[in-house]
Amino acid sequence: MRWEILGKDKDIVKTLLKNRGIADSKIFFEPQEPKTIYLKDLGVSKLELTKAFKRIKQAKSKKEKVIIYGDYDADGICATAILWEAINEYGLDVLPHIPDRFKEGYGINATSVENLKLKIENLKLIITVDNGIVGYEGIKKAKELGIDVIVLDHHQPHSAKASRGRKDFNLGAYAVIHSTEVCGSALAYFFSKELGLKSGLELATIGTIADQMPLIGVNRSVVKYGLQDLKRTKRVGLKTLFSDSKIDEVGTYEVNYIIAPRINAMGRLANGLDSLRLLCTKKLDKAQELSKLLTKTNTDRQKIVDGVATHALDISKKEINKILVLAHESYHEGVIGLAAGKLVEKFYKPSIVISIGKEKSKASARSVSGFNIIEAIKKTELILEGGGHPMAAGFSIDTTKIEEFTEKINTVSDELLTEEMLTKKLKIDMELTFDQLNYKLVNELKQFEPIGVGNPGPTFVTRKVEVVDVKTVGKEKTHLKLKLKQGSVVLDAIGFGLAKDYSLKTNSYIDIAYNLEENVWNGNTSLQLKIRDIKL
């Protein structure tokens, strides 16, 4: 791993702000409250917003049936919950719809619209959340059946001309509420708020973190204030999930690695509707039942991912191509994206994992920084359908074309994918010495929270540190527990998962990359270094 040291300024806070491209520290440290942010600030057309509100009022006065058409991931489920509750509170006859990943796929489509119309005779309005901006066929079918569609979406439209603030996406929808600045659930939150209804900021926070939105600007506002709401939530489903997951304090880490995966698991292996039920239920016994289901399904999901990843890793060790393309009948299509992510983490190469079907196969891709994976996939001209962004994509392909696809994507990417791109890097804010590490600095670093994508945890380097003590800890002895010294300063350090990579000896000297944090144990507080990497 190569270290990239970004700053050398003596002022630590100033350097951290500069490294994150933050020009106004006041706005960053004191972000605007979400209740004072409006859709027009996100580039949403006022005309489209007026049309949407007018259509919702019409549905209420005519007692029409309404569907909130969501998505099966954490952001889509949270968005559905927010808008379903809001529109219901507004007095409409409304039901949620979370599509089945395996039967319906992503987004509003013609078949699903037809089925909804058959079930709900007086269905006159569908509101999409976290999807719809490319739902041409589904919206066209809805119009044929006398159903208006309002689209709330944050994904990129297919047309390059459809940019921020553009009013006409040529979708045929009744109204389009579109912004790429926030995720689907945050868009649903702001829409509900402007409709004058309770908003569900804590759910928008889960969606924002789960959807890997950069935690600056509006997203920072949503998460900073939303985490406060999340900590004091009255939703019995979330409270039960926190309890079952043994979460004491809810932060970005807990949402990203504990809560969101459980919400996501249902859509990956079963049906996301149960995750929606958990978020919205007011019955404790139902919440307990659903929380256990989500936790079990997530455990099953982890085992399946580990199985796919282990199988794929064995094959990948022999792979010499710059892009890994692995296909097998046993790969579960609900987790192939997670498996591709594990391959990137292990080999630091763009990775594509394909679940082989009889005639059509499903694929998921993950990339490395600087390489546009979706553009490379499109250049093969072999996929049936698909979409994504530079770092991740999903697509389907004829099973007979997989071998040809593997050859072609490596051919088109050979010159574009440089060795520089294939070198794993650790971005480090600046170099410090141990005598600069103190509680004053810890308190200054806390101002940068919430941390996440776009605002990573401050990372430092200290060189020529003496190893005073070293031992392996954890159930499987995979972590390094260290006591380190520089000058007269001695600090404890923990390196999660690093025991297999480094064999350290006392009285030796090392360079370390780390995060500085407070460690609270048995009522005692001390400084601790969380080791990111070591150079011998």
Side-chain angles (χ1 to χ4, degrees):
M1 187 184 296
R2 196 175 78 209
W3 293 358
E4 286 188 356
I5 299 178
L6 303 175
K8 294 183 178 180
D9 197 293
K10 290 182 180 179
D11 187 315
I12 297 173
V13 172
K14 185 178 177 182
T15 299
L16 295 176
L17 290 168
K18 185 179 178 181
N19 290 348
R20 285 153 185 74
I22 297 159
D24 193 325
S25 61
K26 182 173 175 57
I27 291 175
F28 180 77
F29 289 134
E30 299 173 25
Q32 189 176 354
E33 288 198 37
K35 64 184 179 184
T36 66
I37 298 171
Y38 298 92
L39 286 170
K40 65 179 177 61
D41 302 322
L42 307 179
V44 172
S45 161
K46 185 178 179 181
L47 175 62
E48 295 295 298
L49 194 58
T50 302
K51 285 163 62 180
F53 288 161
K54 182 181 177 182
R55 185 64 186 85
I56 289 169
K57 289 174 184 175
Q58 179 186 320
K60 181 181 179 180
S61 66
K62 291 188 174 181
K63 294 183 169 48
E64 295 172 343
K65 302 275 189 181
V66 180
I67 284 287
I68 307 298
Y69 196 112
D71 186 28
Y72 40 69
D73 70 358
D75 183 32
I77 288 165
C78 287
T80 306
I82 291 168
L83 204 58
W84 176 34
E85 290 179 343
I87 298 297
N88 183 64
E89 183 189 343
Y90 196 66
L92 274 71
D93 188 350
V94 59
L95 288 170
H97 178 71
I98 302 293
D100 185 296
R101 175 193 289 265
F102 310 104
K103 295 176 182 175
E104 297 174 87
Y106 168 77
I108 185 170
N109 62 78
T111 304
S112 294
V113 170
E114 282 184 306
N115 289 336
L116 286 169
K117 182 63 177 176
L118 287 171
K119 291 178 190 173
I120 306 167
E121 188 178 343
N122 194 33
L123 177 60
K124 295 293 182 182
L125 178 63
I126 293 175
I127 307 175
T128 72
V129 285
D130 198 35
N131 75 94
I133 203 64
V134 293
Y136 298 96
E137 294 305 316
I139 293 168
K140 181 183 176 183
K141 176 56 67 176
K143 285 183 76 174
E144 290 173 4
L145 297 172
I147 303 168
D148 288 326
V149 179
I150 297 171
V151 170
L152 268 73
D153 199 1
H154 73 113
H155 293 97
Q156 290 285 354
H158 279 326
S159 169
K161 295 178 182 177
S163 59
R164 186 182 186 273
R166 184 178 168 90
K167 298 174 184 179
D168 179 15
F169 292 88
N170 298 316
L171 273 170
Y174 190 92
V176 178
I177 311 302
H178 180 259
S179 173
T180 57
E181 294 190 25
V182 293
C183 66
S185 52
L187 195 61
Y189 157 76
F190 287 113
F191 185 82
S192 300
K193 179 171 69 71
E194 290 192 36
L195 200 54
L197 303 165
K198 67 179 182 181
S199 50
L201 182 60
E202 78 274 38
L203 298 184
T205 298
I206 293 174
T208 300
I209 296 169
D211 228 41
Q212 303 292 295
M213 299 300 291
L215 299 188
I216 52 175
V218 177
N219 294 312
R220 180 171 172 81
S221 293
V222 168
V223 173
K224 185 175 178 69
Y225 292 98
L227 280 174
Q228 295 172 14
D229 284 4
L230 202 53
K231 289 170 185 177
R232 55 176 179 249
T233 185
K234 293 180 180 178
R235 292 179 184 271
V236 291
L238 284 177
K239 289 168 77 171
T240 304
L241 197 58
F242 295 163
S243 176
D244 287 352
S245 307
K246 296 179 172 55
I247 293 175
D248 297 319
E249 187 70 18
V250 186
T252 52
Y253 176 88
E254 287 74 18
V255 172
N256 206 11
Y257 293 101
I258 301 173
I259 298 304
R262 282 163 169 75
I263 295 172
N264 269 325
M266 297 308 301
R268 291 189 183 280
L269 297 186
N271 195 308
L273 193 58
D274 281 324
S275 291
L276 179 70
R277 290 182 178 121
L278 175 83
L279 297 180
C280 299
T281 187
K282 294 177 181 176
K283 297 178 180 177
L284 180 59
D285 58 343
K286 190 67 178 174
Q288 291 171 335
E289 175 192 328
L290 289 167
S291 178
K292 284 181 174 58
L293 175 63
L294 264 66
T295 300
K296 181 187 180 302
T297 305
N298 187 54
T299 301
D300 294 342
R301 187 270 309 167
Q302 288 172 320
K303 289 176 182 175
I304 293 170
V305 172
D306 289 344
V308 173
T310 300
H311 185 273
L313 285 170
D314 288 341
I315 300 170
S316 302
K317 289 171 185 173
K318 306 163 190 171
E319 184 62 66
I320 59 171
N321 287 330
K322 288 183 178 179
I323 294 183
L324 300 177
V325 183
L326 303 172
H328 203 268
E329 296 85 353
S330 68
Y331 295 167
H332 192 296
E333 69 175 81
V335 301
I336 51 178
L338 300 175
K342 284 208 169 199
L343 290 174
V344 174
E345 191 180 315
K346 176 72 176 176
F347 297 103
Y348 208 69
K349 288 181 177 183
S351 300
I352 300 171
V353 179
I354 304 174
S355 173
I356 297 180
K358 205 167 186 179
E359 296 177 357
K360 190 165 77 169
S361 297
K362 297 286 183 71
S364 194
R366 296 293 182 270
S367 193
V368 296
S369 183
F371 182 72
N372 192 322
I373 192 73
I374 187 61
E375 286 302 317
I377 289 166
K378 286 178 179 176
K379 282 180 181 177
T380 67
E381 298 181 341
L382 289 171
I383 68 171
L384 298 171
E385 56 185 0
H389 53 80
M391 293 298 289
F395 62 94
S396 59
I397 186 170
D398 280 331
T399 300
T400 57
K401 299 286 186 182
I402 292 174
E403 192 173 333
E404 183 183 353
F405 170 82
T406 303
E407 292 176 8
K408 201 161 185 180
I409 195 167
N410 273 286
T411 300
V412 300
S413 305
D414 196 47
E415 290 182 8
L416 299 172
L417 195 54
T418 64
E419 289 304 317
E420 169 72 13
M421 291 178 189
L422 295 172
T423 303
K424 198 170 187 178
K425 305 170 193 72
L426 177 60
K427 291 187 177 180
I428 293 162
D429 283 294
M430 63 193 304
E431 188 173 331
L432 298 178
T433 53
F434 273 12
D435 58 8
Q436 292 175 279
L437 308 181
N438 50 48
Y439 287 103
K440 178 177 179 292
L441 178 57
V442 168
N443 289 329
E444 288 177 331
L445 299 182
K446 284 180 181 178
Q447 296 179 85
F448 285 82
E449 296 175 353
I451 59 172
V453 176
N455 178 36
T459 302
F460 307 107
V461 154
T462 300
R463 302 188 189 278
K464 294 183 180 178
V465 173
E466 183 183 356
V467 180
V468 176
D469 188 36
V470 57
K471 57 186 175 183
T472 56
V473 296
K475 188 177 179 181
E476 297 178 8
K477 302 293 183 182
T478 54
H479 313 313
L480 281 178
K481 182 72 174 171
L482 304 169
K483 196 173 285 291
L484 303 173
K485 181 181 180 183
Q486 188 186 58
S488 60
V489 183
V490 179
L491 293 170
D492 289 327
I494 184 76
F496 293 108
L498 295 182
K500 64 183 184 301
D501 298 321
Y502 301 99
S503 179
L504 303 181
K505 296 179 181 179
T506 55
N507 302 320
S508 63
Y509 286 82
I510 58 175
D511 297 344
I512 55 169
Y514 59 90
N515 307 122
L516 177 65
E517 58 186 19
E518 269 184 338
N519 182 41
V520 180
W521 179 254
N522 286 338
N524 298 316
T525 303
S526 61
L527 292 179
Q528 177 176 266
L529 310 181
K530 187 167 77 173
I531 305 291
R532 301 284 304 280
D533 196 26
I534 297 171
K535 289 195 184 297
L536 304 176

